[in-house]
Amino acid sequence: MTLDYTDGLALLGGHLPVWNSRRIAALRMQRGWTQEELAEYSGLSVRTIRNLELGRVQNPRRSSVDLLVNALGVTGEQQQSNESPEPARWRGLQAPDSALVGNPSANQQLVHTVRTNRLTMFLGPGGVGKTRMALDVAAQVSHLFRNGVEAVELGDLDPEDGTRGEQTAAVLDRVRRQMARGRAPGRPGAPEIGPETNMLLVLDNAEHVPAGVMAAARELQATFPAVHILITTRRRLTERMGANREIQPLTLEHPPGEPLSHAPAVELFLRHVGSGSPAAAELEKDLPLVAELCRRLGCLPRYIEFAAECLRAIPIRLMLSYGPTPEMLWSNDHALLRHQRSVTDSILWSVDLLSDDHRLLLERIASLPARRFVLDEISTPYDRSGRATGPNPLTLVSDLLDTSLLLPDPAHPYHYRLAPFGAEVLLRAGRPTPEPGGPALG
């Protein structure tokens, strides 16, 4: 069956709104094709395929739609099965409607990992976009799971305090309550929950309940052999189960011949400022300044969103002349968890996952004159309480790397630096304690 232009646009969502751009990538990946292969089969350029999947093209040419639909070979029946997740098949956190910004090939690798592993963990610092990536990947693979997707928020659970059993029970209780919604026994059409249940379970924000969430994952896998689990966390939970995947910040790289506005970090910044904003036209003229601001923000998506909000009141040149500082980077969005609403609270949430010895080492690093350092500079005994010796800092570094508060220098082995704004937050006098706090590591 060949679809005409009207049917093709219906498949792709009318004039291809950005939320439907994910469907093109999902259809391509269902067939196991790269962007280059779809370009070859359709006759479109790789650049056109990339721009369609990123939602950059809002009004595709009729000829492009015809070529794309025919290459994908979608039938009328497949149109129904390839819709975005239906409400009945997706419960919990929802992915934003906007297209994901970043490297499509990296996204495809994450999709493959989730499809082929019963347990996957997305790791990375606060604000790097783990939740956004997890929900986007879940949307792409939802059609592979008969019982759909359950996305469960764990970030508001009480942090662990040594009673692992209580937190394991809390995680399991939250998962089971959500899985049971709309599935009351005897309800017509309600899918059964049992050993044959086949779904993707997303457990979001698990870094403060590490032992509990891993114990819960083991129990869930034993109870539901066909369930896949995707966990987002700021720190590594295990090396012995499943697959760990680092979610990387955006980049300032852009394809040759394309404007700086197509660099992923800059593109996200401009998207959050909004084309209708009075600042948008000026920013288009000052793209190098936007790129510099993104660089200072570590190209972290959440930090970029905070800065875009700040630009409603502060010109970008003034923001750059003052830093920006952590105090500028916050949001009134109450859909976010408390520790997600500002750069300061986000960093302190990660710090409070650590022991006092880890915090002392972080403060020592923050006081170093240079932003980058080698281990020799922190390996001398230290202790503020007057003891002659303290824990060897070399035994603590790997923990700090796991929490992404300390970052390796990719250009120089065994050189390190604090995460963006880490020094400013750690050294600020009278730092507040985010609510809730965090447990001590180890």
Side-chain angles (χ1 to χ4, degrees):
M1 175 180 179
T2 300
L3 304 183
D4 63 21
Y5 179 64
T6 303
D7 293 329
L9 277 179
L11 168 68
L12 300 176
H15 288 296
L16 200 63
V18 290
W19 70 269
N20 270 333
S21 62
R22 288 200 305 266
R23 195 176 308 166
I24 302 172
L27 290 169
R28 170 177 61 78
M29 286 185 281
Q30 274 183 264
R31 288 151 180 77
W33 296 348
T34 63
Q35 289 182 333
E36 289 74 14
E37 288 172 322
L38 179 54
E40 179 182 351
Y41 300 146
S42 66
L44 299 172
S45 69
V46 176
R47 177 184 295 184
T48 297
I49 299 296
R50 181 174 63 248
N51 288 339
L52 285 169
E53 291 190 0
L54 289 175
R56 292 172 178 163
V57 179
Q58 297 299 303
N59 295 289
R61 296 177 181 175
R62 173 170 182 163
S63 58
S64 297
V65 174
D66 287 339
L67 291 169
L68 191 60
V69 170
N70 289 332
L72 291 169
V74 181
T75 65
E77 292 77 12
Q78 287 173 316
Q79 177 179 343
Q80 299 301 318
S81 64
N82 286 319
E83 291 292 333
S84 291
E86 302 168 6
R89 297 185 61 242
W90 184 294
R91 291 176 175 81
L93 301 168
Q94 295 285 332
D97 287 344
S98 58
L100 194 69
V101 174
N103 184 345
S105 63
N107 179 271
Q108 184 176 348
Q109 293 171 9
L110 295 174
V111 168
H112 176 75
T113 300
V114 172
R115 291 175 62 178
T116 56
N117 289 272
R118 290 194 61 207
L119 178 65
T120 304
M121 278 153 286
F122 285 1
L123 313 172
V128 78
K130 300 180 296 295
T131 298
R132 178 72 173 86
M133 184 67 74
L135 296 179
D136 192 86
V137 168
Q140 294 186 55
V141 302
S142 62
H143 65 281
L144 300 174
F145 296 92
R146 183 177 62 255
N147 300 113
V149 175
E150 298 278 358
V152 183
E153 175 62 74
L154 302 180
D156 57 345
L157 290 178
D158 291 335
E160 287 177 0
D161 58 3
T163 54
R164 186 182 74 177
E166 292 182 9
Q167 287 307 90
T168 301
V171 173
L172 289 172
D173 180 67
R174 180 158 296 190
V175 169
R176 286 168 175 158
R177 282 176 181 268
Q178 184 157 309
M179 289 173 67
R181 289 175 187 165
R183 294 185 171 96
R187 177 177 174 178
E192 295 289 333
I193 293 296
E196 301 304 317
T197 297
N198 173 234
M199 67 171 56
L200 174 63
L201 180 62
V202 180
L203 303 179
D204 192 39
N205 293 307
E207 60 272 355
H208 60 305
V209 286
V213 79
M214 290 311 301
R218 285 192 292 268
E219 183 167 335
L220 289 165
Q221 287 189 318
T223 305
F224 305 108
V227 165
H228 285 215
I229 301 174
L230 172 57
I231 299 173
T232 72
T233 171
R234 295 190 182 192
R235 59 174 171 175
R236 196 173 296 267
L237 303 182
T238 181
E239 294 282 2
R240 294 170 173 79
M241 292 175 60
N244 289 303
R245 293 294 180 268
E246 298 276 354
I247 304 303
Q248 300 297 327
L250 299 176
T251 72
L252 292 171
E253 299 176 0
H254 54 99
E258 294 192 4
L260 185 57
S261 59
H262 283 183
V266 175
E267 181 178 345
L268 182 67
F269 187 94
L270 295 175
R271 178 187 293 179
H272 279 278
V273 170
S275 58
S277 166
E282 292 301 316
L283 290 174
E284 288 284 355
K285 301 174 185 176
D286 288 326
L287 290 180
L289 295 183
V290 174
E292 173 60 20
L293 178 57
C294 290
R295 185 191 66 78
R296 296 187 190 182
L297 297 168
C299 290
L300 293 169
R302 179 69 51 77
Y303 292 12
I304 289 173
E305 293 171 14
F306 289 154
E309 288 189 45
C310 188
L311 277 180
R312 297 171 184 170
I314 302 175
I316 189 169
R317 293 179 184 275
L318 191 59
M319 183 182 288
L320 285 170
S321 69
Y322 278 89
T325 65
E327 291 79 10
M328 296 178 180
L329 304 172
W330 58 280
S331 173
N332 272 322
D333 186 352
H334 290 278
L336 298 171
L337 296 173
R338 172 69 179 269
H339 64 270
Q340 297 173 337
R341 293 184 205 161
S342 74
V343 165
T344 296
D345 283 331
S346 179
I347 292 173
L348 293 180
W349 170 260
S350 291
V351 170
D352 286 340
L353 297 176
L354 304 173
S355 70
D356 289 341
D357 289 326
H358 290 91
R359 294 191 195 109
L360 283 172
L361 178 56
L362 278 175
E363 291 174 9
R364 181 181 177 84
I365 293 170
S367 66
L368 292 174
R371 292 296 185 183
R372 285 172 170 75
F373 66 94
V374 294
L375 296 179
D376 289 345
E377 297 177 66
I378 61 168
S379 60
T380 55
Y382 74 98
D383 192 295
R384 292 190 177 183
S385 64
R387 291 179 300 176
T389 61
N392 186 340
L394 300 182
T395 67
L396 307 176
V397 168
S398 61
D399 293 332
L400 298 182
L401 288 170
D402 276 347
T403 61
S404 298
L405 290 166
L406 197 64
L407 304 176
D409 185 339
H412 301 92
Y414 304 115
H415 285 63
Y416 303 96
R417 60 184 174 85
L418 283 175
F421 304 104
E424 295 92 326
V425 171
L426 287 163
L427 295 177
R428 190 175 61 186
R431 72 175 179 88
T433 300
E435 298 179 3
L441 186 66

